[in-house]
Amino acid sequence: MTEPVSMAAAPEARREPVERTDHGVTRVDDYAWLRQVDRPEVLAHLEAERAFYDAATSHLRPLVETLASEMSVRVPVVEPTSAPWRLEAFSYYMLTPTGSEYAQLFRTFDKFEADYATKSEDQAVLSSGFFTSGEKLLDPVELAEGSSYVELGLSLVSPDEKVLAYSVDRTGEEVYELRFRDLDTGEDLRDRLPRTYYGGAWSADSRHFFYTVHDEKYRPCQVWRHELGTPADSDVLVHEEPDAHFELLVRGCRSGDVVVLWSESRDTSEVWVLDAHDPTGSPRNVAPRRKGVVYHAEHAKTADGDVLLVVTNDRAPEFKMVSAPLATPGPEHWREVVAERPDRRLHRVDAFAGHLVLGYREPDSLVLTVVPLDGGEAYDVRPASRYGNLRLDRNEQFAATAVTVAEESWTDPVTWHSVELATGRRHRILTREVPSYNPSDYLTERRSFPSADGTEVPVTLVRRNDVPLDGSAPCLLYGYGAYEVIFEPEFDPALTVLLDRGVVYAHAHVRGGGEGGRRWWEDGRLGAKQHTFDDHIAAARGLAEGLVDRRRIVTRGLSAGGLLQGAVFTQAPELWAGVVAEVPFVDVVNTMCDASVPLTVNEWDEWGDPAQAEEFRWMLAYSPYDNIPPAGGRPPLLVTGALHDPRVMVWEPAKWVAALRATDPGWSPQCLFRCETGAGAHVGPSGRFAHLRYEAEIHAWVLDRFGMAGAVTVPPSAVEG
């Protein structure tokens, strides 16, 4: 590990002790004052932390520039970021042009389907020429209005293809302004709705738009209806969710006939349907909520008429599918059409005029099952790579006879195929080009290691062909483990700069995530949360037994994965050459005790409600802020945070860093807090090159922990195919 040329003293936060007693346990919070982010002294402290980080990593700036350059080389000059999707008159696609940070939305009259007959399965249907024929509809750069951050929340074209509904956030706070653009003139309408959230749906007549609004705690709790050409204050509240445990969302069905509203907590949901042809009508309830029962609905047209297809865990832990008449969708009319399979987690159903596409998760990868509505035989569509990611892409036409799927892996750039629904035959539409890159230079495999209770924990390993698993290579270990979330493999040019320096990348599929189905999540939440941490520690120990260099393992995770990093930093500090905790949820007990903190109440079903003595003790046992490790033996720590982050408040990492520094002054300079005090989101900067530069900073720090700050990339020619 190299050392900085000079380093100022690490910032010290003053102590203002606040005492609190819960369930007979008294805790003293020395840094509660950092929650008051509107106080000038708090902002000054955060800015001092950022200045210290910048000074402490100044010796890595040449490496950051090198890494960012290498990553950028593997980003195409002109980058299609989607395959085209068809509505009726037009095809639409996303394209990032030369030098731009952001993908732009285009449309064209061209129909790429017409080329199928002249192409073999290995020939790409689309050439780059297709992407020069379109009319630009939306450019995020033009929406930034001087901000360094811009993010689109939604972009939905009306059924008549005359108006684009889109929303934009310029701070990273996930507060979106909803606008409407006339696609004939390219001009925005006067209609502007200043505070909206994700999700939306058009009425069938293209005159009304349904959208969600979140409250001051960032919980989407209302669905409103806007009529084009009318002022925002005349919008109509369609439905409201009063229970703070639940979030309320809205979407349109592909058929164009039904709008779906649904409320969901972590383990319970409720659905309403609305006739898209009668937008001023009232939504109808599908089934009253029952604690622990999750269900989602999709509209389909079958030989029996209009039905709702319901994917649910009602007496089916890994989910089944039932159907019911659209006119009478209640549970008393539910008829099972796809039974639960314990080896497969059923996630969703997509309905088309003649077929259904079911999305399953198996332990190794996603699987799509195509089911003909005429009673024909179903078949599976699988990724070419055993550990690849196959997903249904954007498919808007209900009458489609073919669907677009996207496939990629850690080492294979995304390829889009069109799958003929009747036959399963694939046509390659497009493969994303990655300059100076050969996928055959890399390997992906999976190992498993026993956790503390004997459960086998899968770990995916990615490396270059010439990097042995003999205990000599450094390893970056990633983990998350919450909300039944699965980080499906995605090709990332940022990862290649580590692989080309001989680093093994490992992803631990710990409990709390969804890799092992619903049961895998259930066994890693609430009172079983310690399993998440045990699994990650087991993965590291298993890798250290002769596969990677036990002295050079760095662990990384974000948000709930940042909590994971905080826990393993405390519980097994001897394992790590460094820990990267990005926007970490580390002040678990204090945050869960405070219902005024954004998103807290609907998190109780994931972590526990500290008003309950048993649940309070669950969280207190692992909360990193409440379990500061003793001085000595701590690994170097890199923490990130963002002032405008609405998901993990910036004071959580700020308080944790302050407490860690105060309890081990000698180690303090090895604790860095990269705080984003300007515009910036939960997952970092927006824009493709800005985000790569952020990754370059993280990777430079990781390489420094490995003693490889001067390591050069391996030329692609160094490895024979």
Side-chain angles (χ1 to χ4, degrees):
M1 184 181 74
T2 60
E3 296 294 336
V5 175
S6 64
M7 181 179 291
E12 292 184 19
R14 70 175 183 273
R15 297 184 180 186
E16 294 184 8
V18 175
E19 190 174 286
R20 175 177 179 142
T21 300
D22 298 280
H23 307 293
V25 178
T26 298
R27 295 175 297 123
V28 177
D29 186 349
D30 287 329
Y31 304 104
W33 67 275
L34 287 171
R35 290 177 43 136
Q36 302 172 52
V37 293
D38 55 345
R39 287 173 58 177
E41 55 267 44
V42 174
L43 182 58
H45 175 75
L46 298 178
E47 291 174 338
E49 287 284 11
R50 180 55 184 260
F52 177 69
Y53 164 81
D54 289 339
T57 58
S58 61
H59 65 298
L60 296 177
R61 287 175 190 163
L63 177 58
V64 171
E65 296 298 331
T66 298
L67 296 176
S69 177
E70 291 178 15
M71 295 173 188
S72 298
V73 164
R74 287 181 169 168
V75 175
V77 175
V78 178
E79 183 180 16
T81 53
S82 77
W85 66 91
R86 191 80 183 174
L87 289 183
E88 295 300 330
F90 297 95
S91 293
Y92 299 80
Y93 60 87
M94 302 293 294
L95 180 74
T96 308
T98 303
S100 177
E101 287 274 16
Y102 302 98
Q104 301 172 356
L105 175 64
F106 291 80
R107 74 175 180 182
T108 177
F109 278 112
D110 295 347
K111 291 186 177 183
F112 62 93
E113 296 96 328
D115 292 333
Y116 285 168
T118 64
K119 303 288 185 181
S120 69
E121 291 194 27
D122 292 332
Q123 288 180 294
V125 172
L126 289 183
S127 66
S128 58
F130 179 90
F131 296 98
T132 65
S133 62
E135 167 197 8
K136 184 170 69 174
L137 302 181
L138 195 65
D139 181 356
V141 172
E142 297 172 357
L143 307 175
E145 297 182 2
S147 173
S148 62
Y149 181 94
V150 62
E151 189 73 29
L152 290 178
L154 61 81
S155 57
L156 294 174
V157 176
S158 60
D160 63 8
E161 300 187 75
K162 292 183 177 180
V163 180
L164 171 69
Y166 72 93
S167 63
V168 59
D169 167 26
R170 299 184 197 83
T171 65
E173 285 189 280
E174 300 181 49
V175 177
Y176 292 86
E177 181 184 59
L178 179 61
R179 301 179 182 179
F180 299 88
R181 179 161 294 183
D182 184 322
L183 295 182
D184 289 332
T185 66
E187 299 295 324
D188 282 350
L189 305 179
R190 292 183 178 180
D191 312 49
R192 289 197 177 192
L193 313 179
R195 184 183 177 90
T196 67
Y197 199 59
Y198 303 106
W202 282 99
S203 62
D205 63 6
S206 299
R207 291 190 56 198
H208 299 86
F209 192 79
F210 299 90
Y211 62 95
T212 55
V213 170
H214 44 350
D215 60 19
E216 70 281 357
K217 299 175 186 176
Y218 292 86
R219 179 181 70 94
C221 58
Q222 296 175 332
V223 170
W224 290 75
R225 184 182 70 248
H226 175 74
E227 183 175 2
L228 293 183
T230 65
D233 58 12
S234 67
D235 287 2
V236 176
L237 177 63
V238 176
H239 192 71
E240 184 168 17
E241 176 52 70
D243 190 335
H245 291 82
F246 288 77
E247 296 183 346
L248 180 64
L249 302 164
V250 63
R251 68 176 181 87
C253 289
R254 186 176 288 104
S255 66
D257 296 332
V258 174
V259 174
V260 175
L261 296 76
W262 75 101
S263 279
E264 60 181 8
S265 69
R266 296 299 171 197
D267 61 3
T268 305
S269 63
E270 184 174 13
V271 175
W272 298 261
V273 292
L274 180 70
D275 185 348
H277 299 274
D278 181 20
T280 62
S282 299
R284 294 184 296 116
N285 184 254
V286 174
R289 66 189 64 172
R290 287 183 289 146
K291 179 65 177 175
V293 175
V294 174
Y295 74 98
H296 295 284
E298 169 79 327
H299 175 229
K301 296 176 180 291
T302 70
D304 297 326
D306 289 275
V307 301
L308 277 185
L309 301 174
V310 177
V311 173
T312 180
N313 68 338
D314 187 15
R315 294 182 293 276
E318 298 303 331
F319 290 71
K320 63 185 178 183
M321 188 174 75
V322 302
S323 70
L326 178 61
T328 55
E332 66 274 16
H333 299 289
W334 288 7
R335 178 177 62 86
E336 183 176 289
V337 291
V338 176
E340 177 203 18
R341 286 185 52 172
D343 61 333
R344 282 181 160 191
R345 162 69 156 95
L346 176 59
H347 277 278
R348 61 181 290 165
V349 58
D350 284 86
F352 297 88
H355 296 79
L356 307 178
V357 180
L358 307 179
Y360 285 101
R361 188 57 164 76
E362 293 183 347
D364 286 343
S365 66
L366 290 168
V367 178
L368 300 177
T369 298
V370 179
V371 181
L373 286 174
D374 62 5
E377 186 174 351
Y379 62 88
D380 288 343
V381 181
R382 295 179 176 273
S385 168
R386 180 179 177 186
Y387 305 115
N389 174 9
L390 178 74
R391 62 186 181 275
L392 197 63
D393 206 54
R394 191 162 182 173
N395 293 273
E396 302 287 358
Q397 280 191 313
F398 184 67
T401 57
V403 295
T404 300
V405 300
E407 180 177 347
E408 61 186 313
S409 73
W410 297 117
T411 59
D412 295 295
V414 63
T415 292
W416 290 274
H417 286 89
S418 179
V419 179
E420 294 180 16
L421 290 170
T423 64
R425 186 184 179 199
R426 296 193 196 193
H427 303 272
R428 184 164 67 93
I429 299 172
L430 177 71
T431 298
R432 181 173 292 168
E433 297 179 0
V434 179
S436 306
Y437 179 77
N438 183 358
S440 64
D441 291 341
Y442 306 88
L443 293 172
T444 302
E445 59 188 281
R446 185 160 293 174
R447 304 290 180 97
S448 65
F449 306 101
S451 192
D453 64 354
T455 299
E456 290 290 323
V457 181
V459 180
T460 300
L461 301 173
V462 187
R463 58 191 168 99
R464 284 186 66 95
N465 291 338
D466 59 344
V467 174
L469 291 177
D470 63 357
S472 63
C475 175
L476 176 61
L477 176 64
Y478 194 92
Y480 186 76
Y483 307 118
E484 203 183 353
V485 166
I486 304 167
F487 281 76
E488 301 292 357
E490 294 182 359
F491 179 80
D492 182 1
L495 178 59
T496 64
V497 303
L498 291 183
L499 300 179
D500 287 346
R501 284 169 170 77
V503 175
V504 174
Y505 176 77
H507 190 119
H509 306 292
V510 297
R511 280 173 285 183
E515 290 89 340
R518 189 75 167 183
R519 295 177 180 89
W520 202 248
W521 172 61
E522 295 280 9
D523 205 18
R525 71 170 182 136
L526 298 176
K529 191 61 201 171
Q530 182 60 39
H531 288 163
T532 303
F533 316 135
D534 289 344
D535 290 358
H536 199 75
I537 290 168
R541 287 180 173 153
L543 291 168
E545 291 297 321
L547 294 175
V548 303
D549 186 344
R550 64 185 308 124
R551 300 162 302 174
R552 293 192 295 167
I553 301 176
V554 170
T555 180
R556 180 183 183 185
L558 180 146
S559 193
L563 163 62
L564 169 59
Q565 305 314 310
V568 302
F569 171 87
T570 299
Q571 296 178 18
E574 74 282 357
L575 292 176
W576 318 114
V579 175
V580 182
E582 297 173 273
V583 291
F585 170 49
V586 284
D587 193 12
V588 180
V589 179
N590 286 323
T591 294
M592 289 295 102
C593 281
D594 189 350
S596 71
V597 174
L599 306 178
T600 290
V601 175
N602 65 342
E603 295 281 289
W604 287 343
D605 290 327
E606 180 74 24
W607 312 106
D609 180 357
Q612 309 302 316
E614 181 185 16
E615 300 180 21
F616 168 81
R617 288 183 170 84
W618 292 343
M619 291 179 280
L620 187 62
Y622 66 75
S623 172
Y625 187 62
D626 295 286
N627 292 274
I628 300 298
R634 299 179 184 178
L637 176 65
L638 173 58
V639 181
T640 73
L643 182 62
H644 295 290
D645 185 349
R647 297 183 179 271
V648 175
M649 301 297 102
V650 72
W651 65 71
E652 293 210 29
K655 288 172 60 180
W656 186 47
V657 166
L660 288 169
R661 288 221 183 98
T663 53
D664 195 346
W667 167 84
S668 178
Q670 298 183 66
C671 179
L672 304 182
F673 182 23
R674 185 193 187 280
C675 185
E676 199 69 70
T677 57
H682 184 60
V683 295
S686 64
R688 56 176 178 169
F689 295 114
H691 196 78
L692 287 179
R693 184 173 180 82
Y694 168 81
E695 286 294 306
E697 288 187 44
I698 302 297
H699 287 175
W701 188 88
V702 169
L703 289 169
D704 203 23
R705 305 287 70 74
F706 292 150
M708 299 173 64
V712 296
T713 184
V714 178
S717 59
V719 178
E720 297 298 329

